[in-house]
């Protein structure tokens, strides 16, 4: 039965709803709607000028309507009279095929046709920095090996605890919070769920972290590589696939190597097969390639891949299989679009199942020390342009995510790259001024 948002508002004292959709660049766009008007909005959606956001639309296109999904509604723990609700983009009565949430829902339906239910968890890392964005906010957080630093974690207790308390209140089942491998960096984990639910929670999590950080006079950033010499912000994805009842792990087989079933291995094969093109979506910014192609950090490791390899329980590879029936994709970074992350995982995995893709040999080596010995595995793209070219060449993956989406994404992201190339930097002046 569909939740009536008007009744929800009356029961919980909600005064306003934020009807929110996510554009191609991962930006969250919202309208603040009074509860008195939510009934009409639930039926027809809130109107937007799509051209004004990162979608491939023109000023001449008709209104884009963001139709709220009541199942996604969240009452803000830190502002109880406001509720956030994820929305699907509709134009002229039809889904906007390039909209990330629409892309993901279509792929979830395709997986369901094969009797598969994809469940995922994400590990979005973030920095807490000064309000002006110029430096790490905690001047005492200076250790060379800051990961799990107890003192640094507790100095940010007020922020981290408020975020975790909010997740507990929302029923997300958070289970651990830690100081990560860079100074000023943190990670918070909550229970995995169906791919669409995880995507919505991931979207809300980013909004929540930024909002609570601002409340405490700080700024939170998920930027892939905000500081030279420090570990970047990853967003590792843990993937398992189940039967439609969600009770039996379809990829678990204790009699197979790594506890991964034959079907699970072909799903992994799809991830490996399309990895270079995946990067265009999982690592979507110019800055992303400062993380996955970084030199050694102050802590001693980047914790990011640069080669298309997989392994068992070994964090130096692009994919690790830490336990039966699941694997971790370590490629995505903090800038990844929450909906497109889930969509491209499912698209690549289903491609692997269809083609019975072999993931190739696994490697047990430390890639940070011995990666140069691997000569038969592709290197990940060196920059955003290379990644976009890989995606452009991968017509199968383009088709899986949808031709309208793929054309729009390539067009807008290529424009972003061109803007970057035309930008003059201090580095150019410092290295070229006296030539």
């Amino acid at each position: 039965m569909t939740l009536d948002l008007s009744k929800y508002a009356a029961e919980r004292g909600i005064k306003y709803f934020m009807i929110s959709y996510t554009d191609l660049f991962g930006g969250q766009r919202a309208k603040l709607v009074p509860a008195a008007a939510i009934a009409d909005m639930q039926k027809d959606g809130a109107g937007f000028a799509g051209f004004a956001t990162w979608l491939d639309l023109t000023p001449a296109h008709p209104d884009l309507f963001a139709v709220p999904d009541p199942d996604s509604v969240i009452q803000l723990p830190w502002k109880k009279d406001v509720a956030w609700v994820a929305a699907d983009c509709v134009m002229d009565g039809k889904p906007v095929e390039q909209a990330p949430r629409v892309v993901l829902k279509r792929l979830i339906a395709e997986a369901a046709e094969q009797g598969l239910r994809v469940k995922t968890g994400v590990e979005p890392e973030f920095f807490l920095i000064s309000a002006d964005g110029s430096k790490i906010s905690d001047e005492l957080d200076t250790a060379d090996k800051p990961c799990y630093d107890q003192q640094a974690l507790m100095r940010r207790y007020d922020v981290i605890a408020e975020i975790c308390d909010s997740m507990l209140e929302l029923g997300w089942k958070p289970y651990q919070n830690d100081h990560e491998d860079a100074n000023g960096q943190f990670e918070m984990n909550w229970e995995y769920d169906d791919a669409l639910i995880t995507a919505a929670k991931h979207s809300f999590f980013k909004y929540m972290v930024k909002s609570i950080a601002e409340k405490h006079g700080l700024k939170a950033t998920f930027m892939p590589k905000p500081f030279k010499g420090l570990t970047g912000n990853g967003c590792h994805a843990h993937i398992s696939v189940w039967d439609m009842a969600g009770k039996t792990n379809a990829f678990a087989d204790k009699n197979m190597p790594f506890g991964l079933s034959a079907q699970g291995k072909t799903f992994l094969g799809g991830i490996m097969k399309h990895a270079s093109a995946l990067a265009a979506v999982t690592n979507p910014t110019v800055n992303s390639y400062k993380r996955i192609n970084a030199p050694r950090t102050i802590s001693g490791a980047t914790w990011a891949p640069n080669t298309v390899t997989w392994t068992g329980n070994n964090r130096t590879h692009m994919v690790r299989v830490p336990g039966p029936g699941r694997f971790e994709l370590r490629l995505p970074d903090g800038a990844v679009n929450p909906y497109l992350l889930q969509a491209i995982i499912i698209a690549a995995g289903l491609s692997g199942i269809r083609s019975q893709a072999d993931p190739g040999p696994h490697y047990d080596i430390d890639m940070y020390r011995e990666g140069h010995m691997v000569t038969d595995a592709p290197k990940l793209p060196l920059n955003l342009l290379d990644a976009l070219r890989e995606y452009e060449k991968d017509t199968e993956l383009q088709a899986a995510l949808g031709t309208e989406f793929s054309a729009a994404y390539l067009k807008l992201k290529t424009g972003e790259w061109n803007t970057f190339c035309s930008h003059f930097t201090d580095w150019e002046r410092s290295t070229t001024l006296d030539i």
Side-chain angles (χ1 to χ4, degrees), residues 79 123 249 293 296 307 310 421:
K79 193 180 286 291
E123 299 177 345
N249 187 324
N293 288 297
R296 181 171 297 197
T307 307
W310 71 283
C421 289

Side-chain angles (χ1 to χ4, degrees), residues 119-392:
K119 297 188 177 187
T120 59
V122 291
E123 299 177 345
E125 296 169 341
F126 60 93
F127 282 79
L128 290 175
I129 59 178
S130 59
D132 66 0
S134 64
K135 60 185 178 180
I136 293 163
S137 62
D138 181 0
E139 62 182 16
L140 300 179
D141 192 350
T142 59
D144 288 346
K145 287 274 191 181
C147 205
Y148 314 122
D149 188 316
Q150 183 171 268
Q151 294 297 125
L153 176 63
M154 291 308 290
R155 282 196 297 271
R156 285 290 169 253
Y157 173 84
D158 290 348
V159 180
I160 301 301
E162 184 171 350
I163 297 167
C164 191
D165 287 346
S166 296
M167 290 193 284
L168 286 165
E169 182 181 327
L170 295 172
W172 288 15
K173 298 182 181 178
Y175 56 88
Q176 62 185 15
N177 312 295
D178 67 71
H179 188 294
E180 273 296 309
D181 193 60
N183 308 110
Q185 186 185 43
F186 300 87
E187 179 180 301
M188 308 178 74
N189 304 125
W190 66 90
E191 191 174 64
Y192 71 99
D193 212 323
D194 290 303
L196 184 63
I197 296 173
T198 292
K201 287 180 177 178
H202 184 184
S203 294
F204 184 80
F205 178 78
K206 294 181 75 171
Y207 166 65
M208 175 168 62
V209 169
K210 292 176 181 179
S211 297
I212 292 176
E214 288 175 3
K215 178 181 171 183
H216 289 266
L218 305 175
K219 183 180 181 67
T221 179
F222 295 83
M223 182 179 176
K225 187 77 168 180
F227 298 104
K228 182 179 179 180
L230 298 183
T231 307
N233 283 324
C235 185
H236 306 150
H238 290 262
I239 304 150
S240 58
V241 181
W242 301 70
D243 66 356
M244 290 306 295
K247 301 296 184 183
T248 301
N249 187 324
F251 285 5
D253 187 340
K254 63 182 180 181
N255 298 315
M256 295 288 284
F258 304 104
L260 198 61
S261 71
Q263 188 180 45
K265 197 171 179 182
T266 61
F267 192 101
L268 173 57
I271 298 289
M272 304 303 288
K273 173 184 174 182
H274 296 287
S276 294
L278 247 67
V281 169
T282 57
N283 307 85
T285 70
V286 170
N287 180 255
S288 295
Y289 298 85
K290 302 290 197 301
R291 168 183 169 264
I292 63 173
N293 288 297
R296 181 171 297 197
T297 62
I298 291 170
S299 70
T302 66
W303 300 108
N306 64 12
T307 307
V308 183
T309 57
W310 71 283
T311 186
N313 200 351
N314 176 337
R315 286 180 168 86
T316 66
H317 294 258
M318 190 189 82
V319 176
R320 74 174 177 127
V321 185
R326 65 186 178 96
F327 58 88
E328 177 190 36
L329 178 62
R330 297 178 61 80
L331 177 59
D333 64 42
V336 69
N337 185 310
Y339 291 98
L340 296 182
L341 169 59
Q342 304 299 326
I344 203 161
I345 286 170
I346 297 172
L350 293 181
S351 163
I353 290 174
R354 282 193 301 269
S355 64
Q356 294 293 292
D358 186 339
H362 72 274
Y363 295 89
D364 296 322
I365 63 173
D366 179 345
M367 284 296 289
Y368 299 149
R369 291 180 178 272
E370 303 170 278
H372 63 279
M373 298 169 58
V374 178
T375 59
D376 57 350
K379 291 287 187 182
L380 287 164
L382 290 172
N383 54 54
L384 179 60
L385 179 62
D386 287 350
L388 292 172
R389 285 171 171 167
E390 290 292 335
Y391 186 79
E392 194 169 21

Side-chain angles (χ1 to χ4, degrees), residues 54-134:
W54 288 115
L55 293 168
D56 185 23
L57 299 170
T58 73
H61 274 90
D63 285 348
L64 179 152
F65 287 95
V67 180
D69 176 0
D71 289 339
S72 70
V73 70
I74 297 173
Q75 184 175 16
L76 303 192
W78 66 94
K79 193 180 286 291
K80 298 285 191 181
D81 55 352
V82 178
W84 177 94
V85 58
D88 295 312
C89 295
V90 174
M91 187 178 288
D92 283 340
K94 299 176 183 177
V96 178
E97 294 297 329
Q98 62 179 278
R101 201 167 194 269
V102 173
V103 173
L104 174 57
K105 290 176 78 171
R106 179 175 53 76
L107 283 157
I108 289 171
E110 288 182 19
E113 288 173 2
Q114 299 185 38
L116 300 176
R117 182 174 171 180
V118 180
K119 297 188 177 187
T120 59
V122 291
E123 299 177 345
E125 296 169 341
F126 60 93
F127 282 79
L128 290 175
I129 59 178
S130 59
D132 66 0
S134 64

Side-chain angles (χ1 to χ4, degrees), residues 286 290 417 419-433:
V286 170
K290 302 290 197 301
W417 173 261
T419 300
F420 165 70
C421 289
S422 65
H423 174 69
F424 286 87
T425 65
D426 290 339
W427 180 90
E428 291 171 272
R429 291 186 60 82
S430 64
T431 59
T432 316
L433 194 64

